[in-house]
């Protein structure tokens, strides 16, 4: 799965591909970081940092489809440019009854791609670093008034929130650097920061309300997978962590 997603993204544009690669590389490294502590908190923690096919597709399917459509509709890679003035070299496309220049469509697709990986990176960094916070996270649905054990779905900490901002900004900075530090592309860094923060918040809301959480009577821990010794204590049985990531 990773090979397919990586090949398609790199074939579409080196910038698409590098953003994808650095998202998974950074996420894998952070999964390994503090592995001994995480294994005591999360029963299903896997310290190797490898992602299975389902995790790869839930985190990358939309962005990969965007990259494919970018090549199909816009052709070669180009920078983000939302200026409203129609240029002499602009090619106007009819998109489902709406007229839009190829330049603006390319900008829109790039924004979606960056927003997607900024959201995914922000959420992943928040999860991997927030669980290591020395302060207990607070439940998002209690307006951050109720403290909950580390690793609880829907819990947010200051460290995790900061990590989500840095993760989103990381994606924006990658895009800006690969645009040869063009000043006109720097606002995408702020797009990344905003999406990283919002994505982490939405993920916590979904985790606290619909994601399945189980209590393991053997380990006395909250776990994400059902087995013989677990009881569903929150969310819906059919809503897994991968399903929340896909949403």
């Amino acid at each position: 799965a990773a090979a397919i997603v990586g090949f398609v993204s790199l074939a579409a544009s080196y910038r698409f591909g590098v953003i994808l690669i650095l998202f998974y590389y950074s996420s894998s490294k952070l999964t390994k970081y503090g592995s001994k502590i995480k294994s005591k908190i999360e029963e299903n923690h896997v310290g190797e940092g490898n992602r299975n096919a389902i995790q790869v597709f839930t985190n990358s399917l939309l962005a990969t489809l965007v990259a494919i459509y970018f090549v199909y509709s816009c052709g070669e890679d180009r920078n983000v440019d939302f200026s409203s003035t129609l240029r002499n070299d602009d090619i106007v496309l009819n998109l489902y009854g709406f007229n839009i220049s190829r330049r603006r469509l390319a900008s829109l697709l790039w924004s979606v791609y960056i927003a997607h990986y900024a959201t995914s990176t922000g959420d992943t960094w928040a999860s991997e670093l927030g669980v290591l916070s020395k302060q207990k996270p607070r439940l998002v649905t209690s307006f951050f008034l109720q403290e909950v054990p580390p690793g609880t779905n829907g819990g947010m900490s200051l460290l995790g929130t900061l990590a989500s901002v840095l993760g989103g900004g990381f994606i924006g900075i990658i895009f800006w650097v690969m645009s040869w530090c063009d000043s006109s592309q720097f606002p995408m860094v702020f797009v990344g920061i905003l999406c990283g923060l919002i994505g982490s918040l939405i993920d916590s809301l979904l985790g606290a309300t619909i994601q399945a959480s189980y209590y393991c009577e053997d380990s006395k821990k909250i776990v994400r997978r059902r087995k013989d010794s677990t009881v569903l204590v929150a969310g819906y049985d059919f809503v897994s962590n991968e399903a929340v990531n896909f949403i």
Side-chain angles (χ1 to χ4, degrees), residues 9-233:
S9 300
L10 281 168
S13 161
Y14 79 94
R15 292 197 295 183
F16 285 130
V18 171
I19 286 175
L20 164 75
I21 291 170
L22 291 181
F23 159 63
Y24 279 109
Y25 179 80
S26 64
S27 299
S28 178
K29 288 296 182 181
L30 288 181
T31 298
K32 296 176 183 178
Y33 180 73
S35 183
K36 291 182 179 180
I37 298 175
K38 292 174 183 176
S39 62
K40 296 177 181 178
I41 299 172
E42 303 171 343
E43 187 179 59
N44 298 315
H45 175 71
V46 179
E48 289 80 6
N50 298 326
R51 266 60 178 174
N52 59 38
I54 294 177
Q55 291 173 322
V56 169
F57 282 125
T58 54
N59 281 302
S60 300
L61 179 60
L62 173 61
T64 304
L65 292 176
V66 168
I68 293 172
Y69 186 68
F70 187 101
V71 174
Y72 170 76
S73 60
C74 303
E76 64 181 16
D77 193 5
R78 61 192 72 198
N79 282 343
V80 174
D81 182 1
F82 280 110
S83 58
S84 58
T85 305
L86 194 63
R87 301 174 181 174
N88 293 330
D89 60 345
D90 274 339
I91 298 175
V92 178
L93 306 173
N94 186 277
L95 189 65
Y96 306 109
F98 296 93
N99 291 328
I100 184 172
S101 68
R102 182 173 289 176
R103 169 177 52 83
R104 287 178 66 84
L105 177 59
S107 300
L108 178 62
L109 292 175
W110 253 122
S111 298
V112 172
Y113 193 88
I114 291 171
H116 176 91
Y117 276 118
T119 299
S120 298
T121 306
D123 174 50
T124 302
W125 285 27
S127 298
E128 298 297 347
L129 294 177
V131 73
L132 301 176
S133 175
K134 294 182 179 180
Q135 296 179 332
K136 283 189 176 181
R138 294 177 179 271
L139 192 63
V140 64
T141 51
S142 72
F143 298 99
F144 305 105
L145 297 176
Q146 179 184 347
E147 290 187 346
V148 291
T152 300
N153 293 328
M156 294 184 69
S157 65
L158 181 60
L159 177 60
T161 303
L162 178 61
S164 69
V165 171
L166 293 176
F170 174 70
I171 296 298
I173 289 173
I174 292 171
F175 174 80
W176 177 60
V177 170
M178 289 191 300
S179 302
W180 302 104
C181 298
D182 187 332
S183 60
S184 67
Q185 304 304 295
F186 189 73
M188 299 309 293
V189 175
F190 297 104
V191 171
I193 290 172
L194 183 62
C195 290
L197 178 60
I198 293 176
S200 179
L201 179 61
I202 293 175
D203 181 82
S204 294
L205 283 169
L206 294 175
T209 55
I210 66 173
Q211 182 178 335
S213 294
Y214 305 95
Y215 178 75
C216 179
E217 296 178 349
D218 292 337
S219 64
K220 308 300 181 185
K221 296 179 182 178
I222 296 292
V223 297
R224 297 178 179 178
R225 307 291 182 188
R226 175 184 286 278
K227 57 183 182 180
D228 293 338
S229 59
T230 59
V231 178
L232 181 69
V233 293

